[in-house]
Each structure stands twice: as structure tokens, then as C-alpha cells.
């Protein structure tokens, strides 16, 4: 996997020591290679690109820069595996491999979490929890692998036996985002493998390291050669050739709605299915009868956790007018006390923005909000204070005086920027909540169970949380309405996204039928 190996990958303490030595110049830079056909290999071009630690701003590793030739090699390896060894393995054996992978992930969870923090700058408390939870997707879908069942259909045709069977699609291209690389990969890879498909993975160019480290775990688990492959690089050079490749049977993508639309359009030319988990501008709705402090914490969690870099961010906070001023006052007090700094520290609440382009985008939107006439009651600028090293920190920012037609309310910022919008009653809350091109998630805070049920029915979102926020599970389907996506990930529904149904008709007699009449 590495061109230069100076330490034991299995020990988290040695990993920390090695990164410290690299940053001080005592060790040469780590090089991450592609993983194709069961082996780590250099890119065809021989080129590598830098990956930076968002907290320090320093380069800590180099990553293989792939192109269409690398993609072609990976897809052909996945195709050969699909038509060969992988198809020969029964569903029960597939499930056992996934369960074994889950056990290995649990052993390596701490190390993987630290790698993700180093690569994307999110809090160790968040990423560590994600990598520890990661194994559950592989265990859950490992259990489902041999429970994919067709049906015997009572036929109205005399002498005909009709049944259905579910079959894998083939080679799945998987393109993941930089905010939660391994979790988002699990949502795709676990059900795809359980269904009998093979995979070619393209992680974000900003956060490729953990996916390539994960390939070692796949290998250790004993998956046949070519079943799982990973190619790193940029969108035009790797992502586009992967989507366009004639032997790729489906693409599962997480990212922006703009990129998702391009993938959808390219897939349409091939009549190829897709799963798209895209952006959001989720309403987090607080009624006057809500538990006040719980709602405050829910609002904080909805936007400032993960530095706002999450598709489900509750970036539009709708507060009933009767409690608006009091709620905002308390919200500013709590959010203003958030500690900004080192994401590796368990005491940090807000870490750096993962990429410089994203940082610049967030700062641009803060400027747009001010120019639109919104009132900045907290933050509103870059953060260069105590505890930071790099240049990608943004203050937790809250705007009031926002109406739902402003750009700050309609467009996804993907950062720690909250728009507070007042509403009068339930009907207005629903109208504002749904007045958006997205429909990924929504939050409702109320003590009225009737209202909770009404709101969950009327809000046009794939997930509705009531008196909680940002809860996900391997058991529950996740996906969006409208421009927030296509298809579902997680839960039993997810495995069907990677299967196609076949109807089989068997005549029980050999009597010749009239060939000119439909049976």
C-alpha cells in the first residue's frame, strides 16, 4: 500500500508518532496507491497529488492521481470477479465475509477515526464514533445476504408456473464525499456486496486516505481478488470515466446536487440506475411548546456539529414567533461558548473547514447574507484566535431577520452558518419548511404528539426527526425528496437498490399453443 513504510500500521500510537515525525521532516512522505485486483499499485501516469491536514494546513501524504486507464483496469477486475469467483460464492458465504470484515473494522476503528480526522478535520469525537459504529452496516447486511427471496406468483394462466428471483446488477461505481468517507462508503458497499455485486470506489480527492487504509481490511477479511477496488484522483479524470464506463452497471454517489445532476444525466445516456444522496437545506422547526433547552441543543447539533459540513444540517431554524427573541438570545449564548480548535482534542466543539474551496464558499455566503440585509447576531467572520493553526476556521455564525426567499435560506452553504426564520403557526411552518428545492431532512420540536404526527406527514423530506436531530442507523432507510436525491441507503430498502428482479415463467405441459396469440 505504501511506497515507504517505516512503522506498524496496526498501532494507533505508532501512527500518531509517525505523523509527528513526517511533519517535522524526519520521515519521507507517505504515498497511497490505488487498490486494483487485490493489490496496491502505482497509477498509470506515475503521478501523485498532495493531501493536507485541514487543522495544520500541512501536507501529510501523497495520493495516487488516477486517470481513465486506471479506471478501466479496476472496472475490468471488478467485472472478472463478478463473473467468476464472486458469483460462485453463495449468499451465506458472502454474508460471513461481511461479518468477518465487521469484526476487523471494530479492531481498527480507533486508528481509522484518527486517519479521518487528519484528512477531513472533523472532530475526533464525531469521527471516532462513526468508525466505531461503522461495523454495524457490514454486520447487518451480512445478515441480509442470504435472505434475499423472490416469490411464487399465483398465475391466472393455466399450466404455468411463475416465480421471481432477485439478481445482482454487476459492477457498481461508488463515489463518496469528503465529510464522512468511510461511513458514506459503508452505506453503499455493504448492501452492494451483500446483494452479490462488485465495486469500484472513487473517494473524494480531499479525503482518500481512510478508504485506501480500509482496503487492507477488505483484503484481510478474505474477499476474492477484484471484488472491491479503489481508484483515487479528481472528478474529470476518474469520476467521469467511472460513470461513463460501459461495464459499470450502476453508480452510487454522495455529494452536491450539481454533481449529482451531471451523474444523473450521464447515467441516462446509458439507461443506468443510480443512487444519489445529495444536498439539503433542512428546516429545524421549534414550536413554543417544545422543551426549551432540548430544542436549543437540537438547534446547535443541527448546524454547528461537524462544522456544519453535513448534508442533513438544520441550516434553516424556524422558531415560533412567540418565543423567537428568547430562543435566539439563549442560542447565541450557547453557540458563542463553543470551543474552536484542534479536532483531535475531545474538548473541541468546532473544527476547521475541510477544504480551502469550501472555506471560501462559506465566507462568500456570509457576505451574501449581510448584503441581503440579514442581521448577524453571532460570528460572521473567519476565526484566527487561540487554538488554531491553519487558515480554514469559520466562527459559528447566526443570522436573524432572514426571510425564506433570501439566498442564505435557499442555497446550501455547507458550513457553520444558521439562518433563523420566524413563523406564526403550524401551517406557516409547513409552508416555509417545504418551500425549498431540497427535501433531505427536517426536525420538529414539540410536546404535542398530534402535531408531531401531522408535521411528519406534511413535511416533504426523506427523514423527519421529532425532538432529536442527526440520528441515523443501519436499520433505517435514508435518502431525499426532490433535489436531495434518488433511492435509499441503509435499512432493508437499501439492498434492493443493488438488485434487479427477474420474472420466470415455466410451462407445465408440452401442448403446443397458438403462436400468434399472447399467452
Amino acid at each position: 500500500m505504501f511506497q515507504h513504510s517505516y512503522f506498524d500500521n496496526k498501532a494507533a500510537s505508532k501512527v500518531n508518532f509517525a505523523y509527528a515525525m513526517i511533519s517535522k521532516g524526519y520521515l519521507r512522505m507517505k504515498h497511497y496507491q490505488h487498490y486494483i485486483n487485490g493489490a496496491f499499485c502505482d497509477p498509470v501516469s506515475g503521478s501523485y497529488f498532495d493531501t493536507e491536514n485541514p487543522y495544520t494546513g500541512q501536507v501529510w501524504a501523497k495520493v495516487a492521481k488516477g486517470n481513465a486507464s486506471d479506471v478501466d483496469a479496476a472496472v475490468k477486475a471488478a467485472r472478472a470477479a463478478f463473473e467468476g469467483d464472486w458469483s460462485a460464492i453463495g449468499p451465506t458465504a458472502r454474508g460471513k465475509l461481511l461479518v468477518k470484515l465487521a469484526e476487523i473494522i471494530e479492531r481498527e476503528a480507533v486508528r481509522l477515526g484518527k486517519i479521518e480526522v487528519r484528512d477531513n478535520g472533523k472532530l475526533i469525537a464525531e469521527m471516532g464514533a462513526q468508525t466505531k459504529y461503522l461495523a454495524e452496516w457490514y454486520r447487518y447486511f451480512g445478515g441480509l445476504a442470504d435472505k434475499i427471496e423472490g416469490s411464487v406468483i399465483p398465475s391466472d394462466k393455466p399450466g404455468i408456473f411463475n416465480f421471481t428471483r432477485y439478481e445482482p446488477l454487476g459492477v457498481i461505481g461508488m463515489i463518496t464525499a469528503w465529510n464522512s468517507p468511510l461511513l458514506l462508503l459503508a452505506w453503499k458497499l455493504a448492501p452492494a456486496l451483500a446483494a452479490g455485486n462488485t465495486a469500484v470506489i472513487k473517494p473524494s480527492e480531499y479525503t482518500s486516505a481512510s478508504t485506501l487504509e480500509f482496503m487492507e481490511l477488505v483484503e484481510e477479511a478474505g474477499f476474492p481478488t477484484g471484488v472491491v477496488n479503489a481508484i483515487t484522483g479528481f472528478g474529470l479524470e476518474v469520476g467521469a470515466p467511472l460513470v461513463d464506463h460501459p461495464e459499470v452497471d450502476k453508480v452510487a454517489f454522495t455529494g452536491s446536487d450539481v454533481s449529482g445532476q451531471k451523474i444523473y444525466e450521464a447515467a441516462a445516456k446509458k439507461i443506468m440506475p443510480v443512487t444519489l444522496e445529495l444536498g439539503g437545506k433542512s428546516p429545524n422547526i421549534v414550536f413554543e411548546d417544545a422543551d426549551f433547552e432540548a430544542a436549543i441543543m437540537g438547534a446547535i447539533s443541527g448546524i454547528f456539529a461537524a462544522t456544519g459540513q453535513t448534508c442533513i444540517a438544520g441550516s434553516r431554524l424556524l422558531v415560533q414567533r412567540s418565543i423567537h427573541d428568547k430562543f435566539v438570545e439563549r442560542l447565541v449564548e450557547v453557540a458563542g461558548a463553543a470551543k474552536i480548535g484542534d479536532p483531535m482534542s475531545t474538548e473541541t466543539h468546532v473544527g476547521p473547514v475541510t477544504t480551502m474551496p469550501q472555506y471560501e464558499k462559506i465566507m462568500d455566503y456570509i457576505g451574501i447574507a449581510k448584503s441581503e440585509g440579514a442581521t448577524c447576531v453571532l460570528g460572521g467572520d473567519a476565526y484566527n484566535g487561540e487554538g488554531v493553526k491553519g487558515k480554514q476556521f469559520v466562527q459559528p455564525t447566526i443570522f436573524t431577520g432572514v426571510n425564506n426567499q433570501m439566498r442564505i435560506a435557499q442555497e446550501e452553504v455547507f458550513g457553520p452558518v444558521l439562518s433563523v426564520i420566524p413563523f406564526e403557526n403550524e401551517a406557516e411552518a409547513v409552508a416555509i419548511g417545504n418551500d425549498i428545492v431540497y427535501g433531505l431532512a427536517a426536525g420538529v420540536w414539540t410536546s404535542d404528539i398530534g402535531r408531531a404526527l401531522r408535521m411528519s406527514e406534511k413535511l416533504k423530506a426523506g427523514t423527519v426527526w421529532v425532538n432529536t436531530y442527526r440520528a441515523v442507523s443501519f436499520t433505517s432507510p435514508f435518502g431525499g425528496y426532490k433535489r436531495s436525491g434518488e433511492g435509499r441507503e441503509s435499512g432493508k430498502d437499501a439492498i434492493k437498490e443493488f438488485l434487479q428482479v427477474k420474472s420466470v415463467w415455466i410451462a407445465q405441459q408440452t401442448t403446443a399453443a397458438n403462436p400468434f396469440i399472447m399467452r
Side-chain angles (χ1 to χ4, degrees):
M1 178 177 183
F2 311 119
Q3 291 182 333
H4 311 294
S5 180
Y6 297 89
F7 57 91
D8 178 9
N9 278 324
K10 307 303 181 185
S13 60
K14 292 184 179 180
V15 169
N16 291 336
F17 173 77
Y19 287 138
M21 295 299 100
I22 288 171
S23 67
K24 293 178 181 178
Y26 298 139
L27 298 180
R28 282 184 290 174
M29 193 70 62
K30 180 184 291 190
H31 283 51
Y32 283 103
Q33 299 169 294
H34 296 319
Y35 184 74
I36 302 175
N37 206 28
F40 291 98
C41 58
D42 290 324
V44 170
S45 67
S47 298
Y48 285 75
F49 61 94
D50 294 339
T51 188
E52 297 180 353
N53 181 329
Y55 174 58
T56 64
Q58 295 178 341
V59 175
W60 71 275
K62 290 185 178 293
V63 178
K65 186 178 181 183
N67 59 28
S69 295
D70 299 299
V71 171
D72 185 59
V75 172
K76 286 179 177 176
R79 174 61 60 189
F82 176 72
E83 295 178 354
D85 292 346
W86 192 233
S87 292
I89 293 177
T92 299
R94 287 201 304 267
K96 288 180 178 179
L97 284 172
L98 285 163
V99 171
K100 184 175 180 180
L101 177 58
E103 294 169 352
I104 297 171
I105 291 169
E106 287 178 330
R107 185 193 73 203
E108 298 295 325
V110 173
R111 181 173 68 89
L112 293 172
K114 290 182 177 180
I115 291 167
E116 295 224 313
V117 173
R118 223 168 253 111
D119 224 9
N120 71 4
K122 288 173 70 175
L123 302 187
I124 188 63
E126 166 111 344
M127 302 315 294
Q130 283 188 15
T131 53
K132 288 177 182 177
Y133 196 34
L134 196 65
E136 299 301 335
W137 270 265
Y138 294 94
R139 183 173 288 111
Y140 177 83
F141 285 102
L144 277 180
D146 58 4
K147 298 169 185 65
I148 300 168
E149 301 172 343
S151 302
V152 174
I153 300 173
S155 177
D156 65 325
K157 309 294 184 183
I160 293 289
F161 177 56
N162 182 211
F163 67 93
T164 57
R165 52 182 292 141
Y166 286 93
E167 299 177 345
L169 294 167
V171 177
I172 312 298
M174 301 179 183
I175 303 175
T176 57
W178 44 257
N179 54 337
S180 293
L182 288 181
L183 183 65
L184 297 174
L185 175 59
W187 293 8
K188 299 162 182 57
L189 186 61
L193 294 180
N197 301 280
T198 57
V200 177
I201 303 159
K202 191 272 179 200
S204 168
E205 60 269 26
Y206 293 108
T207 55
S208 299
S210 61
T211 298
L212 293 170
E213 295 270 2
F214 185 76
M215 293 302 101
E216 288 192 336
L217 312 191
V218 171
E219 190 170 278
E220 182 181 343
F223 284 84
T225 297
V227 171
V228 182
N229 307 269
I231 306 294
T232 52
F234 296 83
L236 291 178
E237 297 164 341
V238 175
L242 180 60
V243 174
D244 292 336
H245 199 288
E247 293 191 69
V248 169
D249 299 294
K250 172 173 177 157
V251 169
F253 170 78
T254 298
S256 72
D257 61 317
V258 174
S259 296
Q261 179 176 324
K262 292 177 180 177
I263 289 172
Y264 212 178
E265 291 169 353
K269 295 177 182 178
K270 296 168 57 179
I271 318 296
M272 177 178 69
V274 295
T275 299
L276 304 174
E277 197 273 279
L278 308 177
K281 194 71 180 177
S282 301
N284 203 359
I285 305 169
V286 181
F287 287 93
E288 61 186 2
D289 65 345
D291 181 307
F292 192 86
E293 286 299 313
I296 289 289
M297 296 307 168
I300 296 289
S301 172
I303 188 60
F304 298 127
T307 319
Q309 298 172 115
T310 171
C311 54
I312 55 177
S315 52
R316 291 186 300 151
L317 180 65
L318 279 55
V319 182
Q320 196 155 21
R321 197 176 297 277
S322 59
I323 61 168
H324 176 275
D325 293 350
K326 179 183 176 183
F327 196 89
V328 169
E329 181 181 2
R330 177 61 176 154
L331 187 67
V332 168
E333 179 185 4
V334 176
K339 183 177 180 181
I340 304 172
D342 184 357
M344 283 290 191
S345 170
T346 56
E347 296 180 357
T348 299
H349 301 121
V350 179
V353 175
T354 299
T355 75
M356 181 55 72
Q358 184 60 31
Y359 167 82
E360 292 171 349
K361 176 185 174 182
I362 294 167
M363 296 307 298
D364 285 346
Y365 268 106
I366 288 174
I368 289 168
K370 292 176 180 178
S371 69
E372 288 182 319
T375 302
C376 185
V377 295
L378 180 69
D381 208 344
Y383 180 79
N384 301 305
E386 182 181 354
V388 305
K389 292 183 178 180
K391 300 178 180 179
Q392 294 171 204
F393 286 84
V394 177
Q395 297 172 351
T397 297
I398 299 174
F399 285 102
T400 59
V402 177
N403 69 67
N404 201 51
Q405 303 312 309
M406 291 180 174
R407 288 183 63 188
I408 197 65
Q410 287 290 313
E411 299 174 17
E412 187 176 38
V413 177
F414 219 71
V417 180
L418 179 65
S419 297
V420 184
I421 303 172
F423 68 90
E424 290 290 345
N425 51 41
E426 195 173 305
E428 187 179 14
V430 170
I432 295 172
N434 289 337
D435 186 17
I436 195 81
V437 296
Y438 299 107
L440 190 59
V444 177
W445 299 84
T446 179
S447 60
D448 183 336
I449 187 63
R451 172 179 285 150
L453 291 171
R454 289 190 300 273
M455 294 295 291
S456 66
E457 179 183 352
K458 294 177 181 178
L459 288 169
K460 296 176 181 178
T463 296
V464 178
W465 293 291
V466 178
N467 297 331
T468 188
Y469 207 88
R470 295 186 79 223
V472 297
S473 172
F474 51 92
T475 63
S476 183
F478 181 86
Y481 286 23
K482 300 186 282 187
R483 250 189 113 77
S484 286
E486 173 69 24
R488 292 295 180 267
E489 297 183 314
S490 299
K492 289 188 292 184
D493 297 88
I495 203 164
K496 291 184 179 179
E497 300 284 351
F498 296 96
L499 293 163
Q500 52 193 342
V501 64
K502 176 183 289 182
S503 181
V504 180
W505 297 74
I506 301 176
Q508 299 177 49
Q509 76 285 331
T510 58
T511 304
N514 185 337
F516 300 104
I517 300 174
M518 181 179 289
R519 292 294 305 270

